[in-house]
């Protein structure tokens, strides 16, 4: 590239009417000229006085620019002998090597990154009828929370404002272990609790600490896509294991090659909603013990059961120390809180305490302290109890709306617990198309097929969340959705069969 006459080159480019100061413009122009070689290494720059006169600007401005260029290594200046363009080109060896390895292909993202992005399922809308898995955040006792928070901030001790010691705020770990022992029959001491930013992070941490790239991971078929993403992006090979009415149901063939890790939702299978039977729990634990498999028990929403009491946790039955129990406060309080916990076997406490600190450099102790007070003052229990009543009503209103419109022709699955259920559609229905049309009509839902790895054998249906929909909005919104469903179920231009026609 030709070497330029600096004053002329700058003069042609400086915009004296621009809002950007001359100093900034000049600095950027000179940096660009040096990087592109228009000002070649070794070129002597004019003195600040000469350049200032040639450009008709204050000498101080030029001195300022030269100082900054020197500080950033673009030029070298030696008192008395002047300012020279520095040699910033990559060293010979590096440049040559790079040239030979250069290909036409652009710099790419990783294969696991590609897989992650390709199957991403996060919804642009996180609220409203019938967003699955979201609690009614408008009902969150914000005043109580802010009172506790204000009290803690008044005497904010440095301890609460630093990084969290591995594992999280000790009093919170104690409060959670008391809660889990009683409510979920989890066998744990406070040390075994590790506070995380939610189930996603808990699983990410467990996978990084317990598995190696390429290991096999059993996941339920169908399962929560978010967890699948975490496992896949860690380079695990996912093996989908079908579920039936009793939960995870591996075939003898599945069991020939044991996985390194198995991820299950025994309290409330996600998304179909069944509870894993005691026999299956014992079989899974025995298989895991014999083949040294880690089990992750995802207990994401078992606080919300509307009929029977939930079975005790799988972790409570584990004598081999191979179950990692993970839970979240997102559904009990609000998802944006991003707080969850894991209960790790005693032998892994130190590994996980160090792991969580090294990987994520945990903080949020103030938030954890607020939550501790919230729990100890009894607000968590009373909020969950109140929400259980409210969500129970909403669930019933939605089921009534379904029955009013479709009678018994469409089955509802997994409605005994949680914040959502599945409305099954006939196999010929395209649940993805229904979801897209529903969104256009202003109603959010998720297609069941989305949760299956093997689409050929996928059930068709819609995930309907009712928890975040005010009672009065349930029937009108379901009517909008029902119109979309009816269109999808009606053979082209033929009259609708009963009982759909009665709608
Ligand atoms: C089965 C299951 N596990 C985990 C999560 C996510 O939990 P968290 O928000 O704590 O990461 C969800 C969210 O809906 C879920 O359905």
């Amino acid at each position: 590239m030709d070497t330029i006459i600096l004053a002329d080159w700058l003069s042609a480019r400086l915009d004296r009417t621009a809002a950007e100061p001359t100093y900034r413009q000049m600095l950027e122009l000179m940096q660009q000229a040096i990087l592109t070689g228009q000002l070649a290494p070794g070129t002597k720059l004019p003195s600040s006085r000469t350049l200032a006169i040639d450009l008709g600007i204050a000498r101080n401005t030029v001195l300022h620019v030269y100082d900054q260029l020197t500080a950033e290594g673009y030029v070298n200046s030696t008192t008395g002998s002047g300012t020279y363009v520095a040699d910033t080109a990559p060293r010979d060896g590096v440049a040559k090597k790079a040239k030979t390895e250069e290909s036409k292909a652009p710099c790419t993202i990783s294969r696991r990154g590609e897989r992650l992005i390709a199957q991403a399922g996060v919804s642009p809308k996180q609220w409203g009828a019938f967003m699955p898995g979201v609690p009614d955040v408008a009902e969150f006792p914000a005043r109580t929370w802010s009172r506790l928070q204000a009290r803690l901030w008044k005497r904010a001790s440095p301890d609460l404002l630093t990084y969290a010691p591995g594992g999280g705020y000790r009093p919170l770990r104690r409060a959670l272990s008391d809660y889990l022992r009683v409510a979920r029959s989890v066998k744990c001491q406070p040390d075994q609790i590790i506070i995380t930013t939610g189930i996603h992070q808990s699983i990410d941490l467990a996978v990084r600490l317990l598995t190696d790239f390429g290991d096999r991971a059993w996941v339920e078929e169908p399962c929560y896509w978010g967890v699948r993403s975490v496992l896949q992006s860690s380079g695990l090979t996912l093996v989908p294991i079908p579920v039936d009415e009793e939960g995870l149901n591996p075939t003898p063939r599945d069991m020939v090659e044991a996985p390194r890790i198995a991820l299950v939702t025994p309290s409330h299978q996600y998304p179909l909603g069944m509870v894993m039977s005691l026999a299956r729990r014992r079989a899974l634990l025995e298989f895991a013990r014999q083949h040294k498999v880690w089990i992750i028990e995802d207990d994401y929403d078992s606080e919300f059961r509307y009929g029977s009491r939930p079975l005790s946790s799988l972790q409570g039955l584990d004598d081999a120390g191979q179950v990692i129990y993970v839970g979240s406060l997102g559904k009990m309080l609000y998802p944006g809180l991003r707080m969850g916990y894991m209960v790790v076997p005693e032998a892994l406490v130190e590994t996980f305490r160090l792991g969580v600190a090294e990987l994520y450099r945990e903080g949020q102790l103030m938030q954890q302290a607020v939550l501790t007070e919230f729990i100890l003052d009894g607000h968590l229990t009373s909020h969950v109890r109140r929400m259980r009543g409210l969500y129970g009503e909403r669930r019933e209103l939605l089921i009534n709306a379904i029955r009013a419109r479709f009678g018994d022709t469409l089955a509802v699955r997994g409605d005994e617990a949680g914040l959502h259920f599945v409305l099954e559609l006939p196999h010929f229905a395209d649940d993805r198309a229904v979801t897209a049309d529903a969104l256009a009509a202003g109603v959010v839902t998720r297609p069941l097929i989305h949760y299956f790895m093997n689409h050929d054998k996928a059930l068709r249906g819609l995930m309907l969340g009712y928890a975040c929909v005010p009672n009065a909005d349930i029937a009108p919104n379901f009517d909008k959705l029902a119109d979309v469903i009816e269109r999808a179920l009606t053979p082209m231009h033929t009259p609708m069969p009963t009982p759909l026609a009665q709608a």
Side-chain angles (χ1 to χ4, degrees):
M1 202 166 296
D2 288 341
T3 304
I4 52 178
I5 298 173
L6 187 58
D8 292 350
W9 190 82
L10 284 173
S11 191
R13 286 166 179 78
L14 284 174
D15 179 356
R16 289 156 209 265
T17 61
E20 198 180 7
T22 309
Y23 158 75
R24 252 291 96 237
Q25 292 187 47
M26 197 172 147
L27 179 66
E28 276 169 21
L29 284 166
M30 290 187 68
Q31 287 171 337
Q32 185 195 327
I34 292 169
L35 291 176
T36 55
Q38 284 164 293
L39 279 176
T43 307
K44 185 174 186 190
L45 298 186
S47 75
S48 55
R49 185 191 308 277
T50 315
L51 188 57
I53 292 169
D54 288 350
L55 291 174
I57 60 176
R59 184 174 170 214
N60 254 349
T61 306
V62 181
L63 280 172
H64 234 64
V65 172
Y66 280 17
D67 282 352
Q68 192 61 30
L69 289 172
T70 309
E72 292 183 19
Y74 286 86
V75 299
N76 299 315
S77 45
T78 330
T79 327
S81 92
T83 304
Y84 294 85
V85 174
D87 186 359
T88 55
R91 296 292 115 231
D92 236 23
V94 180
K96 271 203 196 108
K97 191 158 183 290
K99 263 262 169 332
T100 49
E101 285 170 6
E102 201 176 349
S103 80
K104 291 267 181 297
C107 202
T108 57
I109 62 169
S110 65
R111 276 199 296 277
R112 54 194 166 137
E114 253 167 26
R115 265 191 279 167
L116 177 70
I117 305 306
Q119 66 152 40
V122 71
S123 163
K125 214 175 156 203
Q126 290 290 336
W127 179 245
F130 292 104
M131 179 70 203
V134 178
D136 192 342
V137 293
E139 292 288 335
F140 178 69
R143 282 181 44 194
T144 307
W145 188 269
S146 75
R147 182 168 45 76
L148 296 173
Q149 181 157 289
R151 205 164 73 198
L152 277 158
W153 270 107
K154 261 190 211 141
R155 49 182 167 87
S157 77
D159 287 354
L160 290 180
L161 303 180
T162 55
Y163 292 125
Y169 186 57
R170 179 87 196 163
L172 178 58
R173 296 162 75 198
R174 197 174 314 117
L176 285 172
S177 72
D178 290 345
Y179 165 75
L180 292 170
R181 261 199 314 274
V182 175
R184 304 292 306 116
S185 309
V186 170
K187 290 190 280 200
C188 65
Q189 296 302 319
D191 269 352
Q192 288 171 260
I193 307 267
I194 305 287
I195 311 291
T196 64
T197 62
I199 291 176
H200 273 239
Q201 193 182 58
S202 298
I203 294 177
D204 187 47
L205 179 64
V207 161
R208 284 163 184 264
L209 292 175
L210 305 178
T211 68
D212 289 306
F213 202 89
D215 278 347
R216 290 156 66 81
W218 277 8
V219 290
E220 295 169 325
E221 171 79 332
C223 79
Y224 172 49
W225 51 264
V227 161
R228 234 169 32 209
S229 294
V230 174
L231 300 181
Q232 271 185 336
S233 68
S234 291
L236 294 179
T237 303
L238 268 53
V239 184
I241 306 289
V243 295
D244 65 10
E245 285 313 313
E246 288 189 66
L248 194 77
N249 187 23
T251 60
R253 238 178 97 202
D254 292 323
M255 296 204 267
V256 170
E257 201 178 340
R260 183 82 179 261
I261 200 160
L263 215 132
V264 285
T265 48
S267 309
H268 186 217
Q269 202 279 331
Y270 194 90
L272 297 179
M274 57 286 258
V275 175
M276 192 191 280
S277 69
L278 185 58
R280 290 278 172 81
R281 288 171 190 237
R282 296 185 64 184
L284 178 63
L285 288 171
E286 183 52 27
F287 175 75
R289 194 184 59 75
Q290 283 176 13
H291 298 276
K292 308 277 172 277
V293 180
W294 295 112
I295 297 175
I296 300 185
E297 175 178 13
D298 178 354
D299 200 9
Y300 60 101
D301 72 356
S302 58
E303 287 74 21
F304 298 105
R305 281 205 82 82
Y306 307 110
S308 57
R309 265 182 63 80
L311 283 187
S312 307
S313 65
L314 181 69
Q315 193 267 10
L317 295 174
D318 170 36
D319 291 326
Q322 287 175 212
V323 175
I324 290 98
Y325 175 95
V326 300
S328 178
L329 287 141
K331 302 205 192 305
M332 283 194 269
L333 297 176
Y334 63 99
L337 178 65
R338 297 315 292 143
M339 209 181 294
Y341 45 84
M342 55 201 312
V343 182
V344 302
E346 264 175 37
L348 293 181
V349 166
E350 219 30 44
T351 304
F352 275 76
R353 265 171 44 81
L354 292 173
V356 75
E358 284 303 304
L359 270 175
Y360 314 117
R361 200 51 97 226
E362 294 291 90
Q364 300 282 13
L365 284 167
M366 187 56 97
Q367 187 99 312
Q368 294 179 17
V370 177
L371 176 60
T372 310
E373 309 249 316
F374 192 84
I375 296 174
L376 296 180
D377 288 356
H379 302 299
L380 182 70
T381 320
S382 61
H383 179 60
V384 168
R385 194 182 314 120
R386 195 165 72 80
M387 290 303 101
R388 195 184 297 127
L390 187 64
Y391 300 161
E393 277 172 31
R394 293 177 177 178
R395 158 184 161 268
E396 214 169 305
L397 286 170
L398 184 53
I399 293 177
N400 291 344
I402 292 170
R403 294 290 162 250
R405 197 76 189 248
F406 293 106
D408 283 330
T409 47
L410 300 182
V412 167
R413 265 177 179 263
D415 60 317
E416 297 84 14
L419 310 181
H420 74 275
F421 56 65
V422 171
L423 179 64
E424 264 192 66
L425 296 178
H427 204 74
F428 64 83
D430 180 349
D431 50 7
R432 275 189 286 214
V434 172
T435 301
D437 290 350
L439 192 62
V443 180
V444 183
T445 167
R446 285 247 174 81
L448 196 52
I449 194 169
H450 196 51
Y451 299 83
F452 285 81
M453 288 181 71
N454 185 347
H455 284 189
D456 295 341
K457 295 195 179 151
L459 296 172
R460 303 302 155 104
L462 302 174
M463 298 279 285
L464 300 182
Y466 44 81
C468 65
V469 195
N471 294 15
D473 293 350
I474 290 184
N477 276 292
F478 185 73
D479 274 344
K480 285 192 225 164
L481 177 61
D483 291 342
V484 174
I485 296 175
E486 275 179 357
R487 277 200 300 278
L489 300 188
T490 312
M492 290 274 260
H493 311 302
T494 56
M496 271 194 299
T498 48
L500 302 188
Q502 294 162 354

